Amino acid sequence: MRTIGHFIGGKHVEGTSGRFADVFNPATGEVQAKVALATDAEMAAAVANAAAAQPKWAATNPQRRARVMMKFVELLNRDMDKLAEALSREHGKTLPDAKGDVIRGLEVAEFCIGAPHLLKGEFTEGAGPGIDMYSMRQPLGVVAGITPFNFPAMIPMWKFCPAIACGNAFILKPSERDPSVPIMLAELMIEAGLPAGVLNVVNGDKSAVDAILDDETIQAVGFVGSTPIAQYVYARATASGKRAQCFGGAKNHMIIMPDADMDQAADALIGAGYGAAGERCMAVSVAVPVGASTADALIAKLAPKVEALKIGPYTAGDDVDFGPLVTKEALARVKGLVDQGVKEGATLVVDGRGFKMQGYENGYFMGGCLFDNVTRDMDIYKTEIFGPVLSVVRAETYEEALELPMSHEYGNGTAIFTRDGDTARDFASRINIGMVGINVPIPVPLAYHTFGGWKRSGFGDLNQHGPDGFRFYTRTKTVTSRWPSGLKDGAEFSIPTMK
Ligand code: NAD
């Protein structure tokens, strides 16, 4: 059995805890590797390595740091097929989708090539008599990222690319469900010229996370995962004085106005609701058609499309819409929620619970499910299902539709489909959600903008990647300087002002 250890100080290191987690192939249900779960001592060793490497890296001029990112981008492109295959084998998503996962991270690395420009400070000449004032952004030191299973390439890169480009050293604690790609990324960073110790990957579970949260050297933690863990990580990291930004779960609504193009809206819902088996924090899981005839027309278009979804292992090629869920537990949980929806009285228009993949009977596959007449008191409405299940909640008016995402606990993404500019503008302005699509179902901002949810989808300050990524991983120092010729004699007792 293949074992996956850690990547510390620029090399592979075997785990010493004797504790391992199974890494499954979700398409077959087989255990394909065992990943080591780090001890506190292993985490401390990684942090010590990072702390030793960081000052020299921070002192490397930003252009040279940017060149490492430039080379990293080239190597990601060189190894794209290999990375995508390793990703699909552990996650289960299709190969084109796995490539998308790598490319969305690569785009953040590309953005970080601009580090010299982004890190330029501010300068005021003559802020006072003979006084100049300047601000500079300095790295924090050793920082950490804790990432989820659903984007094992993109989200680690969202975290470590800006952090490292800013001159920090990084500890990555990826998901224990699909740990191979994060280690491959660290190898490529070393090949790209990153000094050993600047990027370390430590595999583990809650115990490794707690070791990060309590560590006194680590200055900042970026987390992405489910909301209860995001809130826990935020509370514990900030209690130990760290800077933290922790992004959580979602329940993304898409409103369909009566004037929308119903074919476009239905296609958008199919891709955004069922792509990656619904295991995306920006998946659309609730469709809100406005008016009974809009709802009837939408259901009529959606139902045959959901029934026709092509499900299969990533090895089946490009002709597959989505693959299996990530684990047996995830499959049981999603099917259990569908059972619950039926019990609560929602109309199950398409039932994918019984789907079996021929030749892959032990894989974690299920078919797409479509619910109609879902109401806000139902568990399937309140809970993030994280599976191939779309719920239709009918609304009579735009105001009633708007009120649904407004009052939901999550605030990650949302969308509206309409041809009316006034409605779209009103929606974008009033909605209390971080990322908004207008006739775009999954409005994931590009690398040079920032990504972040509101309400219980995000704890802490600043968004991920874009200029916020650089702000999160640096702190500002402001220098007020005067040369001796500008000094007056004698002590000054009152606060200097510009009066
Ligand atoms: P998860 O919360 O189970 O795990 C995330 C990370 O936390 C992993 O590294 C895991 O090892 C660690 N962890 C798990 N349990 C822990 C515990 N009890 N104490 C400390 N650490 C623990 O999430 P997941 O299942 O890997 O990912 C899916 C979730 O992530 C979904 O809720 C999804 O919406 C969310 N997500 C959010 C975003 C975003 O940007 N908002 C992006 C992707 C995924």
Side-chain angles (χ1 to χ4, degrees), residues 45 119 158 167 196-197 232 239 245 285 337 347 366 376 408 438 457 463 469 491:
L119 291 171
W158 281 4
Y232 165 78
Q245 52 170 208
S285 48
L337 277 160
T347 315
M366 74 176 276
R376 58 202 303 170
H408 205 284
I438 296 171
S457 296
N463 279 356

PDB file of all heavy atoms in Angstrom, residues 45 119 158 167 196-197 232 239 245 285 337 347 366 376 408 438 457 463 469 491:
ATOM      1  N   ALA A  45       8.313  20.702  13.964  1.00  0.00           N
ATOM      2  CA  ALA A  45       9.533  20.613  13.134  1.00  0.00           C
ATOM      3  C   ALA A  45       9.323  21.370  11.820  1.00  0.00           C
ATOM      4  O   ALA A  45      10.222  22.078  11.340  1.00  0.00           O
ATOM      5  CB  ALA A  45       9.865  19.152  12.859  1.00  0.00           C
ATOM      6  N   LEU A 119       3.389  45.102  -4.009  1.00  0.00           N
ATOM      7  CA  LEU A 119       4.007  45.352  -2.698  1.00  0.00           C
ATOM      8  C   LEU A 119       4.620  46.749  -2.596  1.00  0.00           C
ATOM      9  O   LEU A 119       5.181  47.105  -1.563  1.00  0.00           O
ATOM     10  CB  LEU A 119       5.080  44.282  -2.412  1.00  0.00           C
ATOM     11  CG  LEU A 119       4.517  42.873  -2.166  1.00  0.00           C
ATOM     12  CD1 LEU A 119       5.645  41.850  -2.118  1.00  0.00           C
ATOM     13  CD2 LEU A 119       3.704  42.810  -0.875  1.00  0.00           C
ATOM     14  N   TRP A 158      -4.566  29.324  -3.857  1.00  0.00           N
ATOM     15  CA  TRP A 158      -5.133  30.615  -3.407  1.00  0.00           C
ATOM     16  C   TRP A 158      -4.399  31.100  -2.173  1.00  0.00           C
ATOM     17  O   TRP A 158      -4.277  32.290  -1.933  1.00  0.00           O
ATOM     18  CB  TRP A 158      -6.599  30.438  -3.001  1.00  0.00           C
ATOM     19  CG  TRP A 158      -7.600  30.389  -4.097  1.00  0.00           C
ATOM     20  CD1 TRP A 158      -7.376  30.400  -5.442  1.00  0.00           C
ATOM     21  CD2 TRP A 158      -9.020  30.311  -3.920  1.00  0.00           C
ATOM     22  NE1 TRP A 158      -8.577  30.335  -6.098  1.00  0.00           N
ATOM     23  CE2 TRP A 158      -9.589  30.282  -5.196  1.00  0.00           C
ATOM     24  CE3 TRP A 158      -9.841  30.253  -2.800  1.00  0.00           C
ATOM     25  CZ2 TRP A 158     -10.971  30.203  -5.396  1.00  0.00           C
ATOM     26  CZ3 TRP A 158     -11.217  30.184  -2.987  1.00  0.00           C
ATOM     27  CH2 TRP A 158     -11.776  30.150  -4.280  1.00  0.00           C
ATOM     28  N   GLY A 167       6.697  37.069   0.692  1.00  0.00           N
ATOM     29  CA  GLY A 167       7.907  36.869   1.487  1.00  0.00           C
ATOM     30  C   GLY A 167       7.702  36.076   2.765  1.00  0.00           C
ATOM     31  O   GLY A 167       8.582  36.033   3.626  1.00  0.00           O
ATOM     32  N   ALA A 196      14.244  25.585  -0.036  1.00  0.00           N
ATOM     33  CA  ALA A 196      13.675  24.564   0.850  1.00  0.00           C
ATOM     34  C   ALA A 196      13.202  25.212   2.142  1.00  0.00           C
ATOM     35  O   ALA A 196      13.842  26.128   2.656  1.00  0.00           O
ATOM     36  CB  ALA A 196      14.734  23.506   1.142  1.00  0.00           C
ATOM     37  N   GLY A 197      12.085  24.740   2.650  1.00  0.00           N
ATOM     38  CA  GLY A 197      11.586  25.242   3.942  1.00  0.00           C
ATOM     39  C   GLY A 197      10.568  26.365   3.799  1.00  0.00           C
ATOM     40  O   GLY A 197       9.824  26.642   4.735  1.00  0.00           O
ATOM     41  N   TYR A 232     -14.860  27.450  14.278  1.00  0.00           N
ATOM     42  CA  TYR A 232     -13.957  26.915  15.322  1.00  0.00           C
ATOM     43  C   TYR A 232     -12.522  27.404  15.081  1.00  0.00           C
ATOM     44  O   TYR A 232     -11.856  27.885  15.994  1.00  0.00           O
ATOM     45  CB  TYR A 232     -14.039  25.382  15.285  1.00  0.00           C
ATOM     46  CG  TYR A 232     -12.925  24.685  16.023  1.00  0.00           C
ATOM     47  CD1 TYR A 232     -12.945  24.595  17.419  1.00  0.00           C
ATOM     48  CD2 TYR A 232     -11.846  24.125  15.331  1.00  0.00           C
ATOM     49  CE1 TYR A 232     -11.921  23.963  18.097  1.00  0.00           C
ATOM     50  CE2 TYR A 232     -10.815  23.489  16.001  1.00  0.00           C
ATOM     51  CZ  TYR A 232     -10.859  23.414  17.380  1.00  0.00           C
ATOM     52  OH  TYR A 232      -9.834  22.801  18.059  1.00  0.00           O
ATOM     53  N   ALA A 239      -7.934  33.602  19.213  1.00  0.00           N
ATOM     54  CA  ALA A 239      -7.687  33.574  20.662  1.00  0.00           C
ATOM     55  C   ALA A 239      -6.186  33.488  20.943  1.00  0.00           C
ATOM     56  O   ALA A 239      -5.714  33.970  21.959  1.00  0.00           O
ATOM     57  CB  ALA A 239      -8.411  32.391  21.296  1.00  0.00           C
ATOM     58  N   GLN A 245      -8.582  34.332   8.472  1.00  0.00           N
ATOM     59  CA  GLN A 245      -9.735  34.470   7.570  1.00  0.00           C
ATOM     60  C   GLN A 245     -10.211  33.051   7.278  1.00  0.00           C
ATOM     61  O   GLN A 245      -9.437  32.199   6.846  1.00  0.00           O
ATOM     62  CB  GLN A 245      -9.399  35.253   6.294  1.00  0.00           C
ATOM     63  CG  GLN A 245      -8.222  34.788   5.515  1.00  0.00           C
ATOM     64  CD  GLN A 245      -8.063  35.444   4.148  1.00  0.00           C
ATOM     65  OE1 GLN A 245      -7.505  34.837   3.261  1.00  0.00           O
ATOM     66  NE2 GLN A 245      -8.527  36.662   3.967  1.00  0.00           N
ATOM     67  N   SER A 285     -27.632  25.520  -5.434  1.00  0.00           N
ATOM     68  CA  SER A 285     -28.406  24.417  -4.864  1.00  0.00           C
ATOM     69  C   SER A 285     -29.886  24.769  -4.716  1.00  0.00           C
ATOM     70  O   SER A 285     -30.700  23.907  -4.433  1.00  0.00           O
ATOM     71  CB  SER A 285     -27.816  23.993  -3.521  1.00  0.00           C
ATOM     72  OG  SER A 285     -27.593  25.117  -2.711  1.00  0.00           O
ATOM     73  N   LEU A 337     -30.336  13.087   3.233  1.00  0.00           N
ATOM     74  CA  LEU A 337     -31.016  14.390   3.136  1.00  0.00           C
ATOM     75  C   LEU A 337     -32.138  14.341   2.103  1.00  0.00           C
ATOM     76  O   LEU A 337     -33.191  14.964   2.290  1.00  0.00           O
ATOM     77  CB  LEU A 337     -29.994  15.488   2.797  1.00  0.00           C
ATOM     78  CG  LEU A 337     -29.235  16.014   4.023  1.00  0.00           C
ATOM     79  CD1 LEU A 337     -27.943  16.716   3.614  1.00  0.00           C
ATOM     80  CD2 LEU A 337     -30.106  16.970   4.834  1.00  0.00           C
ATOM     81  N   THR A 347     -41.591  17.763  -3.392  1.00  0.00           N
ATOM     82  CA  THR A 347     -41.893  16.865  -4.513  1.00  0.00           C
ATOM     83  C   THR A 347     -40.581  16.450  -5.181  1.00  0.00           C
ATOM     84  O   THR A 347     -39.882  17.297  -5.744  1.00  0.00           O
ATOM     85  CB  THR A 347     -42.763  17.611  -5.557  1.00  0.00           C
ATOM     86  OG1 THR A 347     -43.785  18.323  -4.862  1.00  0.00           O
ATOM     87  CG2 THR A 347     -43.348  16.679  -6.580  1.00  0.00           C
ATOM     88  N   MET A 366     -24.074   8.656  -7.298  1.00  0.00           N
ATOM     89  CA  MET A 366     -25.538   8.769  -7.241  1.00  0.00           C
ATOM     90  C   MET A 366     -26.006   9.639  -8.401  1.00  0.00           C
ATOM     91  O   MET A 366     -25.213  10.432  -8.956  1.00  0.00           O
ATOM     92  CB  MET A 366     -26.035   9.314  -5.897  1.00  0.00           C
ATOM     93  CG  MET A 366     -25.840  10.784  -5.643  1.00  0.00           C
ATOM     94  SD  MET A 366     -26.581  11.305  -4.062  1.00  0.00           S
ATOM     95  CE  MET A 366     -28.298  11.592  -4.536  1.00  0.00           C
ATOM     96  N   ARG A 376     -39.023  26.975   3.022  1.00  0.00           N
ATOM     97  CA  ARG A 376     -37.878  27.423   3.818  1.00  0.00           C
ATOM     98  C   ARG A 376     -37.750  26.743   5.166  1.00  0.00           C
ATOM     99  O   ARG A 376     -36.689  26.829   5.787  1.00  0.00           O
ATOM    100  CB  ARG A 376     -37.891  28.948   3.955  1.00  0.00           C
ATOM    101  CG  ARG A 376     -39.131  29.502   4.588  1.00  0.00           C
ATOM    102  CD  ARG A 376     -39.345  30.950   4.231  1.00  0.00           C
ATOM    103  NE  ARG A 376     -38.208  31.777   4.616  1.00  0.00           N
ATOM    104  CZ  ARG A 376     -38.060  33.042   4.254  1.00  0.00           C
ATOM    105  NH1 ARG A 376     -38.949  33.625   3.482  1.00  0.00           N
ATOM    106  NH2 ARG A 376     -37.043  33.736   4.651  1.00  0.00           N
ATOM    107  N   HIS A 408     -31.193  33.793   4.427  1.00  0.00           N
ATOM    108  CA  HIS A 408     -30.502  32.515   4.674  1.00  0.00           C
ATOM    109  C   HIS A 408     -29.216  32.779   5.438  1.00  0.00           C
ATOM    110  O   HIS A 408     -28.605  33.835   5.297  1.00  0.00           O
ATOM    111  CB  HIS A 408     -30.202  31.805   3.342  1.00  0.00           C
ATOM    112  CG  HIS A 408     -30.073  30.320   3.508  1.00  0.00           C
ATOM    113  ND1 HIS A 408     -28.949  29.743   4.057  1.00  0.00           N
ATOM    114  CD2 HIS A 408     -30.931  29.299   3.239  1.00  0.00           C
ATOM    115  CE1 HIS A 408     -29.128  28.420   4.104  1.00  0.00           C
ATOM    116  NE2 HIS A 408     -30.321  28.130   3.609  1.00  0.00           N
ATOM    117  N   ILE A 438     -25.027  37.988 -12.589  1.00  0.00           N
ATOM    118  CA  ILE A 438     -26.180  38.464 -13.365  1.00  0.00           C
ATOM    119  C   ILE A 438     -26.131  37.708 -14.683  1.00  0.00           C
ATOM    120  O   ILE A 438     -25.199  37.894 -15.476  1.00  0.00           O
ATOM    121  CB  ILE A 438     -26.115  39.992 -13.568  1.00  0.00           C
ATOM    122  CG1 ILE A 438     -26.210  40.674 -12.194  1.00  0.00           C
ATOM    123  CG2 ILE A 438     -27.216  40.471 -14.514  1.00  0.00           C
ATOM    124  CD1 ILE A 438     -25.962  42.143 -12.191  1.00  0.00           C
ATOM    125  N   SER A 457     -20.767  32.349   5.791  1.00  0.00           N
ATOM    126  CA  SER A 457     -19.861  31.762   4.788  1.00  0.00           C
ATOM    127  C   SER A 457     -18.451  32.312   4.928  1.00  0.00           C
ATOM    128  O   SER A 457     -17.554  31.884   4.185  1.00  0.00           O
ATOM    129  CB  SER A 457     -20.376  32.036   3.370  1.00  0.00           C
ATOM    130  OG  SER A 457     -21.616  31.395   3.170  1.00  0.00           O
ATOM    131  N   ASN A 463     -10.754  39.308   1.740  1.00  0.00           N
ATOM    132  CA  ASN A 463     -11.091  38.164   0.895  1.00  0.00           C
ATOM    133  C   ASN A 463      -9.836  37.392   0.493  1.00  0.00           C
ATOM    134  O   ASN A 463      -8.729  37.756   0.846  1.00  0.00           O
ATOM    135  CB  ASN A 463     -11.820  38.657  -0.353  1.00  0.00           C
ATOM    136  CG  ASN A 463     -13.291  38.911  -0.082  1.00  0.00           C
ATOM    137  OD1 ASN A 463     -13.783  38.649   1.019  1.00  0.00           O
ATOM    138  ND2 ASN A 463     -13.988  39.408  -1.070  1.00  0.00           N
ATOM    139  N   GLY A 469      -5.524  39.319  -0.952  1.00  0.00           N
ATOM    140  CA  GLY A 469      -4.583  38.255  -0.584  1.00  0.00           C
ATOM    141  C   GLY A 469      -3.251  38.854  -0.143  1.00  0.00           C
ATOM    142  O   GLY A 469      -2.639  38.399   0.824  1.00  0.00           O
ATOM    143  N   ALA A 491      12.370  70.490  23.698  1.00  0.00           N
ATOM    144  CA  ALA A 491      11.354  69.430  23.741  1.00  0.00           C
ATOM    145  C   ALA A 491       9.998  69.980  23.307  1.00  0.00           C
ATOM    146  O   ALA A 491       9.692  71.145  23.539  1.00  0.00           O
ATOM    147  CB  ALA A 491      11.256  68.887  25.163  1.00  0.00           C
TER     148      ALA A 491
END
